[in-house]
Amino acid sequence: ATMANDIEYDDDFQVQLVDKFKNAVRRSGVSILVAETSRDDEHLVKLSPAQATTNSQGVATFTKFKVRGPIGNLVLSFNVVGEDIAGVSIENTLVPGPAVGLELVVAPQGVRSGVEVDVNPQIALVDSAGNHVQVTSGDVDVVANHAAKVTNGKATFGDDGLAKFKKFAVAGSV
């Protein structure tokens, strides 16, 4: 399954208590924790909600569940708190969520007033966890303060998801 970063999952996650023969166990009040268990960066992955309690049917429901963190494969492990009961794991892939900001991927170098920079800037869109959001259309405009003038301050996002400026220059007080 695929989940978008920091977006509530469309369906609730439900975990059913079962015995060793896979028969449903109807027991309320059992706490179930979910954790990401497959990554070295698991501390960067935030799960919400991270705990649910079983109802009278022995089912714990994780409502409005979402994951926030670095994109890639992840394993969500659901385990009973404080009891020797086997847990269950599911595999998912976390993909970027909606863009919420910009990241300066390549900073301009050699900035001198009125002269084209030595290295042109490159901008990426990022989601709430800093993952790059792939877009193939749209523009970025650089706006200067009242005392400066930008030349070639507009760039279009390309197939690589980057807006790459060409012949970028700033004149005046910077």
Side-chain angles (χ1 to χ4, degrees):
T2 299
M3 300 176 77
N5 179 63
D6 213 13
I7 297 294
E8 290 177 2
Y9 197 60
D10 290 339
D11 300 315
D12 292 340
F13 279 107
Q14 291 190 321
V15 178
Q16 170 71 59
L17 290 178
V18 295
D19 63 18
K20 66 181 179 180
F21 303 107
K22 307 284 187 210
N23 297 311
V25 174
R26 288 166 174 67
R27 186 169 143 206
S28 64
V30 177
S31 291
I32 308 288
L33 285 178
V34 60
E36 202 299 314
T37 58
S38 66
R39 299 173 151 194
D40 291 335
D41 63 352
E42 66 188 55
H43 65 282
L44 297 176
V45 176
K46 304 293 183 218
L47 306 172
S48 175
Q51 184 171 354
T53 303
T54 58
N55 61 19
S56 62
Q57 299 300 308
V59 176
T61 301
F62 292 81
T63 303
K64 296 183 178 182
F65 185 77
K66 66 180 177 177
V67 179
R68 183 175 186 264
I71 60 172
N73 295 328
L74 44 94
V75 174
L76 301 176
S77 296
F78 297 83
N79 293 293
V80 175
V81 177
E83 297 190 38
D84 189 20
I85 298 175
V88 63
S89 296
I90 58 171
E91 294 184 17
N92 271 304
T93 301
L94 189 62
V95 298
V100 297
L102 299 171
E103 177 185 344
L104 183 61
V105 177
V106 176
Q109 294 179 14
V111 179
R112 298 172 304 285
S113 181
V115 178
E116 185 180 318
V117 297
D118 298 333
V119 175
N120 283 290
Q122 296 181 19
I123 305 282
L125 289 170
V126 293
D127 68 10
S128 64
N131 299 307
H132 286 199
V133 177
Q134 290 292 335
V135 294
T136 56
S137 64
D139 298 324
V140 175
D141 291 313
V142 175
V143 179
N145 64 30
H146 66 279
K149 179 182 179 234
V150 175
T151 303
N152 298 315
K154 184 174 189 171
T156 300
F157 286 99
D159 291 340
D160 60 359
L162 297 175
K164 299 176 182 177
F165 294 86
K166 295 180 176 127
K167 299 183 179 183
F168 183 81
V170 178
S173 299
V174 288

